[in-house]
Amino acid sequence: MRAWQQNPLLVLSFAVRRGFLVRDRAWLLSLDKFPLTGLILAADFWLIARVSGVYFASMPLRDELTLALLAVGGTIVYALVILALFGRRWLVSLVRGEASFNRRTRGSGRSPPECKQHPHIS
Protein backbone atom coordinates (compact mmCIF):
# COMPACT_ATOMS: atom_id res chain seq x y z
CA MET A 1 0.00 0.00 0.00
CA ARG A 2 1.42 3.38 -1.00
CA ALA A 3 1.47 6.56 1.08
CA TRP A 4 -1.28 8.22 -0.95
CA GLN A 5 -3.48 5.22 -0.17
CA GLN A 6 -2.59 5.09 3.51
CA ASN A 7 -3.10 8.77 4.35
CA PRO A 8 -6.86 8.91 3.63
CA LEU A 9 -7.33 5.65 5.53
CA LEU A 10 -5.43 7.03 8.51
CA VAL A 11 -7.44 10.25 8.47
CA LEU A 12 -10.71 8.30 8.30
CA SER A 13 -9.68 5.94 11.11
CA PHE A 14 -8.63 8.85 13.36
CA ALA A 15 -11.90 10.66 12.60
CA VAL A 16 -13.91 7.57 13.55
CA ARG A 17 -11.86 7.05 16.71
CA ARG A 18 -12.35 10.68 17.87
CA GLY A 19 -16.07 10.70 17.06
CA PHE A 20 -15.91 13.18 14.19
CA LEU A 21 -17.16 10.60 11.70
CA VAL A 22 -19.85 8.10 12.55
CA ARG A 23 -20.44 5.33 10.06
CA ASP A 24 -24.20 5.10 9.95
CA ARG A 25 -26.74 3.99 7.39
CA ALA A 26 -27.11 7.43 5.78
CA TRP A 27 -23.34 7.78 5.33
CA LEU A 28 -23.05 4.35 3.73
CA LEU A 29 -25.98 5.08 1.41
CA SER A 30 -24.27 8.30 0.35
CA LEU A 31 -21.12 6.38 -0.51
CA ASP A 32 -23.19 4.04 -2.68
CA LYS A 33 -24.68 6.95 -4.63
CA PHE A 34 -21.41 8.54 -5.75
CA PRO A 35 -20.26 5.68 -8.04
CA LEU A 36 -23.70 5.74 -9.66
CA THR A 37 -23.28 9.47 -10.20
CA GLY A 38 -19.89 8.84 -11.78
CA LEU A 39 -21.30 6.25 -14.18
CA ILE A 40 -24.09 8.59 -15.26
CA LEU A 41 -21.62 11.42 -15.75
CA ALA A 42 -19.30 9.17 -17.78
CA ALA A 43 -22.21 8.19 -20.04
CA ASP A 44 -23.08 11.87 -20.42
CA PHE A 45 -19.50 12.75 -21.41
CA TRP A 46 -19.38 9.89 -23.89
CA LEU A 47 -22.67 10.95 -25.49
CA ILE A 48 -21.69 14.63 -25.68
CA ALA A 49 -18.30 13.80 -27.22
CA ARG A 50 -19.92 11.46 -29.72
CA VAL A 51 -22.64 13.91 -30.80
CA SER A 52 -20.38 16.96 -30.84
CA GLY A 53 -17.89 15.15 -33.07
CA VAL A 54 -20.58 14.82 -35.73
CA TYR A 55 -21.96 18.35 -35.45
CA PHE A 56 -18.65 20.22 -35.07
CA ALA A 57 -16.62 18.19 -37.59
CA SER A 58 -16.44 20.94 -40.20
CA MET A 59 -15.87 23.84 -37.79
CA PRO A 60 -12.39 25.28 -37.22
CA LEU A 61 -12.66 25.37 -33.39
CA ARG A 62 -14.30 21.98 -32.98
CA ASP A 63 -12.08 20.86 -30.08
CA GLU A 64 -12.71 24.05 -28.11
CA LEU A 65 -16.45 23.87 -28.78
CA THR A 66 -16.50 20.22 -27.70
CA LEU A 67 -14.64 21.11 -24.50
CA ALA A 68 -17.07 23.94 -23.72
CA LEU A 69 -20.04 21.66 -24.39
CA LEU A 70 -18.55 18.95 -22.15
CA ALA A 71 -18.04 21.47 -19.34
CA VAL A 72 -21.54 22.93 -19.54
CA GLY A 73 -23.30 19.61 -20.16
CA GLY A 74 -21.32 17.85 -17.44
CA THR A 75 -22.10 20.55 -14.91
CA ILE A 76 -25.81 20.45 -15.66
CA VAL A 77 -26.05 16.66 -15.60
CA TYR A 78 -23.96 16.37 -12.43
CA ALA A 79 -26.12 18.93 -10.63
CA LEU A 80 -29.32 17.20 -11.72
CA VAL A 81 -28.08 13.73 -10.75
CA ILE A 82 -26.89 14.90 -7.32
CA LEU A 83 -30.21 16.66 -6.78
CA ALA A 84 -32.15 13.57 -7.90
CA LEU A 85 -30.15 11.12 -5.78
CA PHE A 86 -29.66 13.18 -2.61
CA GLY A 87 -32.70 15.44 -2.70
CA ARG A 88 -33.35 19.11 -2.15
CA ARG A 89 -33.13 18.84 1.64
CA TRP A 90 -29.59 17.49 1.49
CA LEU A 91 -28.56 20.25 -0.91
CA VAL A 92 -30.01 22.95 1.35
CA SER A 93 -28.20 21.50 4.39
CA LEU A 94 -24.96 21.41 2.40
CA VAL A 95 -25.30 25.06 1.38
CA ARG A 96 -26.18 26.15 4.92
CA GLY A 97 -23.22 24.22 6.32
CA GLU A 98 -25.19 22.01 8.70
CA ALA A 99 -23.11 19.02 9.67
CA SER A 100 -24.76 15.62 9.85
CA PHE A 101 -23.32 15.27 13.37
CA ASN A 102 -25.45 18.21 14.49
CA ARG A 103 -28.62 16.69 13.03
CA ARG A 104 -27.98 13.28 14.62
CA THR A 105 -27.23 14.62 18.07
CA ARG A 106 -29.90 17.32 18.22
CA GLY A 107 -32.14 16.59 21.17
CA SER A 108 -29.98 13.74 22.47
CA GLY A 109 -28.05 15.87 24.96
CA ARG A 110 -24.75 15.02 23.25
CA SER A 111 -22.50 17.74 21.98
CA PRO A 112 -19.80 17.51 19.32
CA PRO A 113 -16.30 16.62 20.56
CA GLU A 114 -14.22 19.59 21.70
CA CYS A 115 -11.12 20.52 19.75
CA LYS A 116 -8.49 21.46 22.33
CA GLN A 117 -5.73 22.08 19.79
CA HIS A 118 -7.73 24.68 17.85
CA PRO A 119 -10.14 26.44 20.26
CA HIS A 120 -11.25 28.89 17.56
CA ILE A 121 -12.90 26.02 15.65
CA SER A 122 -16.38 25.31 16.91
Side-chain angles (χ1 to χ4, degrees):
M1 193 178 264
R2 306 222 189 271
W4 64 271
Q5 294 168 326
Q6 290 174 348
N7 288 340
L9 293 176
L10 285 172
V11 169
L12 283 175
S13 66
F14 292 144
V16 169
R17 189 182 307 170
R18 293 285 300 190
F20 292 115
L21 177 67
V22 179
R23 295 186 316 179
D24 60 355
R25 187 173 185 272
W27 186 70
L28 293 173
L29 285 174
S30 295
L31 286 180
D32 288 343
K33 292 177 185 178
F34 278 110
L36 178 62
T37 304
L39 288 174
I40 293 170
L41 195 58
D44 174 56
F45 285 154
W46 177 81
L47 185 64
I48 289 173
R50 188 119 164 124
V51 170
S52 67
V54 173
Y55 286 114
F56 300 148
S58 61
M59 294 185 176
L61 296 174
R62 67 179 172 268
D63 292 336
E64 290 82 359
L65 289 171
T66 300
L67 180 62
L69 193 60
L70 284 168
V72 171
T75 301
I76 292 170
V77 167
Y78 186 72
L80 290 174
V81 169
I82 290 294
L83 189 61
L85 288 177
F86 288 95
R88 185 176 183 273
R89 187 173 163 188
W90 177 85
L91 185 63
V92 169
S93 71
L94 179 70
V95 170
R96 287 186 182 164
E98 295 176 4
S100 61
F101 186 86
N102 292 335
R103 279 196 311 266
R104 277 196 312 274
T105 59
R106 199 175 287 153
S108 68
R110 263 180 75 199
S111 62
E114 293 295 323
C115 182
K116 294 179 176 81
Q117 295 151 336
H118 304 285
H120 62 280
I121 299 175
S122 56

